[in-house]
Amino acid sequence: MTGRPSLYTAEAADKILELLAEGQTLREICRNHDDLPVEGTVRLWAVQDREGFRQRYLDAREIGYHAMADEVLEIADDGRNDWTERQGENGNTVVADHEHISRSRLRFDARRWLLSKALPKVYGDRLDLNAKHDVSDGVAELLKAIDGKTKGLPNKEPSA
C-alpha cells in the first residue's frame, strides 16, 4: 500500500487550484481526494513557491472566497428545511425547525466572518475615514471657539 503523494506535480497543483477556486477549502480537498497530497504538503509547496505555485495558490484562494460569498447568499435564501411537520394530538402541524435554522445561521455567520478577515477590503465592515461626518452646528461652533485656547491651562488630574 502506498501513501499519499508528496512530490510536486503540475497535474496535482492544477487540480488543487481548480477546486480552491470553486470555493472548497484546502482541508476539504485533501481529505476527499486520495490522489492528492496532504494539506501540509500543499502549504509547503506554497511556502517554497514550487514552480510559481504561491501566487497561483493565493489567486485561487481569492477566487474561492468570492465563490464562498455566493454560497453565503444561497444559505441565507434557502428556506426549504426551515419548516417541518410534526404529529400532534389534532393531526399533523407545521412547525419551525429551529435546529436547521440555527445551523444555517451558523454556516452563514462562519462564512461571513471568514470573508471579512480574508478579504476585508471587499467583505469587511467599511469605515470611511475620509467621509464628512455630520457634526451639529452648535458643536462645530463650540470647537472653533475653544480651538487653541486651552494651551497653558493647568492640567488637573482627578483625585482618587
Side-chain angles (χ1 to χ4, degrees), residues 2-113:
T2 61
R4 293 281 191 108
S6 60
L7 295 177
Y8 178 91
T9 66
E11 296 80 24
D14 288 345
K15 185 174 182 178
I16 291 166
L17 296 174
E18 178 183 333
L19 295 170
L20 282 171
E22 290 176 3
Q24 292 185 37
T25 65
L26 182 59
R27 178 164 291 169
E28 179 182 16
I29 292 166
C30 294
R31 183 184 303 138
N32 295 334
H33 296 274
D34 292 335
D35 59 328
L36 296 176
V38 296
E39 186 181 344
T41 299
V42 178
R43 292 188 196 282
L44 187 61
W45 292 353
V47 169
Q48 294 174 343
D49 199 19
R50 298 280 176 96
E51 296 183 24
F53 183 72
R54 176 184 295 132
Q55 190 59 52
R56 292 174 57 217
Y57 173 81
L58 294 172
D59 291 344
R61 290 295 290 222
E62 184 170 341
I63 293 166
Y65 289 134
H66 292 297
M68 198 178 287
D70 292 340
E71 189 179 31
V72 166
L73 294 177
E74 287 177 1
I75 292 168
D77 292 341
D78 182 9
R80 286 177 293 170
N81 297 314
D82 290 354
W83 301 94
T84 187
E85 267 190 46
R86 297 274 162 91
Q87 181 71 33
E89 290 180 18
N90 300 333
N92 291 346
T93 57
V94 177
V95 296
D97 185 341
H98 294 288
E99 183 177 341
H100 181 268
I101 294 169
S102 294
R103 171 60 60 185
S104 294
R105 182 176 294 123
L106 177 63
R107 292 175 64 223
F108 176 91
D109 287 344
R111 285 160 178 79
R112 187 179 63 173
W113 177 86

